[in-house]
Amino acid sequence: MLSVLGSHLYQERRRLLFVASMAFLAGVLLYLPAPIYVGAVHISLISGVVYATVVGLAAFFVCLILPSMRFMIEAVAVSRLFFAFFVLSMPQIGFQILANPLLTALLVVAGGAAISRVLHGRILREGPRWQMPGRPRKPVRIDGNAYQHRIVAWLDDAAPIPA
């Protein structure tokens, strides 16, 4: 079982690193205005590490159990980073939105759906949306331009099949 998890972690390493990096940056930006220090470390760095850890672990389990959702993970990570920039640039509106978790989640996921189309093109689904861990994953079929094919090939560590 550990070898299956290790191989799956290796297969998703680029995606997980990208998502954890975006989560770290979003966590840092969201708490940057707070004048709170833990020891000599600003709370924004601590929150960035917590965001990266929690989101990275959640992303790994989504990739493991629901591999068809793996492309939405990085799109939501980029959307979360854009939302953090928005909150930092417009704190009056941003903090009111941030105070409502349902609205925050709705905006981040809706933004992720829009960003996914820009990053990946149109992903054509085949087969079941979930699979047992350890089974080999088929290359994804996308309908997109050359830029989107390069992004998907880098994140998935496998060349996508053109539609």
Side-chain angles (χ1 to χ4, degrees):
M1 183 66 175
L2 287 177
S3 65
V4 169
L5 291 177
S7 67
H8 203 72
L9 182 65
Y10 182 77
Q11 185 178 21
E12 298 293 345
R13 70 193 183 279
R14 293 178 181 174
R15 176 173 286 112
L16 295 175
L17 181 64
F18 178 79
V19 168
S21 299
M22 294 291 113
F24 175 79
L25 290 173
V28 167
L29 291 175
L30 285 174
Y31 288 90
L32 199 58
I36 301 170
Y37 289 86
V38 177
V41 180
H42 194 268
I43 192 71
S44 64
L45 294 176
I46 295 169
S47 68
V49 169
V50 170
Y51 269 48
T53 303
V54 171
V55 170
L57 286 173
F60 176 65
F61 286 114
V62 167
C63 289
L64 189 65
I65 297 168
L66 295 167
S68 66
M69 294 281 297
R70 68 188 184 271
F71 295 104
M72 192 64 178
I73 294 169
E74 63 259 7
V76 169
V78 172
S79 175
R80 187 182 309 109
L81 184 62
F82 285 162
F83 179 71
F85 276 121
F86 174 77
V87 170
L88 189 63
S89 65
M90 297 186 171
Q92 300 83 9
I93 300 168
F95 286 126
Q96 290 178 354
I97 294 171
L98 200 57
N100 185 343
L102 186 61
L103 182 59
T104 300
L106 178 71
L107 288 174
V108 168
V109 172
I115 290 170
S116 178
R117 188 57 75 113
V118 173
L119 278 179
H120 310 116
R122 199 171 128 225
I123 300 168
L124 305 173
R125 307 274 184 214
E126 290 182 2
R129 293 189 183 269
W130 66 275
Q131 72 179 25
M132 293 300 294
R135 299 182 78 194
R137 193 174 68 205
K138 295 179 184 175
V140 68
R141 289 183 55 218
I142 65 168
D143 182 16
N145 58 33
Y147 172 74
Q148 292 164 331
H149 278 265
R150 282 195 308 269
I151 289 175
V152 171
W154 183 80
L155 286 170
D156 226 18
D157 202 17
I161 300 171

